[in-house]
Amino acid sequence: MPQLVKGGKYVFGWSQVTEEGRIMIPPEAFAEYKLEGCGKVILMSGSRRSGGFGLTTVDRIKDTPIGQVLDELPELASCSIPEGEPLSKKSRTYCWIRLTSEGRFTVPPDTLRIYGIEPGQKVLVARGSGLVLGFPARGTYSRGSKKASRVGSILERKSMKAEKAKNLFSQGFNCAQAVFSTYAPDLGLDARTALKIASGFGG
């Protein structure tokens, strides 16, 4: 899990916001924040510096100082207002959203814009705290966008490499062949030659 800036927060990667406002939580973040089976989540606007929003659940914050808003906005806690409808309290904007078992959720485009996020853009997903998963939109993240972009590209390439190696292994190649032939082009070696070289290293 890379660190975006020295002394800063860790990021799980990028998430593409669709034109409809659909966002996917990276699997690592989904697991770390124990979101499986939640069904409904709460979004709250981020800090003035970072913008964006944080994602959490009623159960996660109900006995914390952050959870005071659940008493102040009972319609938010009970999810009795329309999904995605923004509510404001003490300079923050809240709403509730359905979360699928795959970690997808959809925020109405107008509500996204309140959080400073436009449909169609990419957003970082960062470890905010043990209570809230962050989707920052500006601040340090914006100033470090070039570095963040490289981080996102590295994560995407690593994921693609891992999937390719996994597919090769499932086709009957040994571990060494699967991994070595996947990275061989980066070393100036063709994949077929790499498969031959690594064939004797299988366990």
Side-chain angles (χ1 to χ4, degrees):
M1 189 184 302
Q3 194 172 28
L4 184 59
V5 292
K6 186 176 181 180
K9 297 177 180 178
Y10 286 85
V11 297
F12 296 98
W14 291 101
S15 186
Q16 178 71 52
V17 183
T18 69
E19 293 298 330
E20 298 76 27
R22 187 168 59 252
I23 301 172
M24 179 74 179
I25 299 174
E28 187 179 2
F30 189 76
E32 181 172 317
Y33 280 78
K34 298 179 174 61
L35 295 170
E36 185 175 1
C38 289
K40 298 176 182 178
V41 294
I42 302 293
L43 304 188
M44 60 180 67
S45 51
S47 67
R48 291 181 179 178
R49 184 183 68 175
S50 66
F53 61 84
L55 181 151
T56 189
T57 65
V58 170
D59 286 343
R60 189 174 288 271
I61 64 170
K62 64 182 180 182
D63 296 321
T64 72
I66 297 176
Q68 182 179 346
V69 71
L70 301 176
D71 296 324
E72 298 170 341
L73 297 173
E75 63 270 49
L76 176 70
S78 63
C79 300
S80 59
I81 56 172
E83 180 179 4
E85 181 176 303
L87 286 174
S88 295
K89 187 71 177 180
K90 295 181 180 177
S91 76
R92 288 189 182 270
T93 300
Y94 303 84
C95 70
W96 73 270
I97 294 292
R98 297 182 194 280
L99 180 68
T100 71
S101 58
E102 295 82 23
R104 294 186 181 87
F105 61 97
T106 301
V107 186
D110 287 344
T111 302
L112 273 179
R113 293 186 180 98
I114 293 174
Y115 293 130
I117 296 173
E118 287 291 330
Q121 78 175 65
K122 281 187 175 182
V123 294
L124 283 173
V125 184
R127 180 192 289 160
S129 68
L131 300 175
V132 181
L133 177 62
F135 292 78
R138 60 177 183 270
T140 300
Y141 299 90
S142 179
R143 293 194 296 273
S145 60
K146 289 185 178 179
K147 182 175 180 180
S149 181
R150 291 196 296 271
V151 169
S153 296
I154 290 170
L155 288 173
E156 290 174 3
R157 288 199 300 272
K158 285 178 65 179
S159 178
M160 291 172 63
K161 297 278 190 186
E163 189 63 30
K164 182 177 180 180
K166 181 180 177 181
N167 288 338
L168 285 168
F169 183 72
S170 68
Q171 292 172 28
F173 294 102
N174 66 44
C175 292
Q177 286 177 305
V179 175
F180 187 46
S181 64
T182 295
Y183 286 90
D186 296 341
L187 305 173
L189 188 67
D190 67 273
R192 180 173 294 184
T193 301
L195 287 171
K196 291 179 180 179
I197 293 173
S199 62
F201 292 93

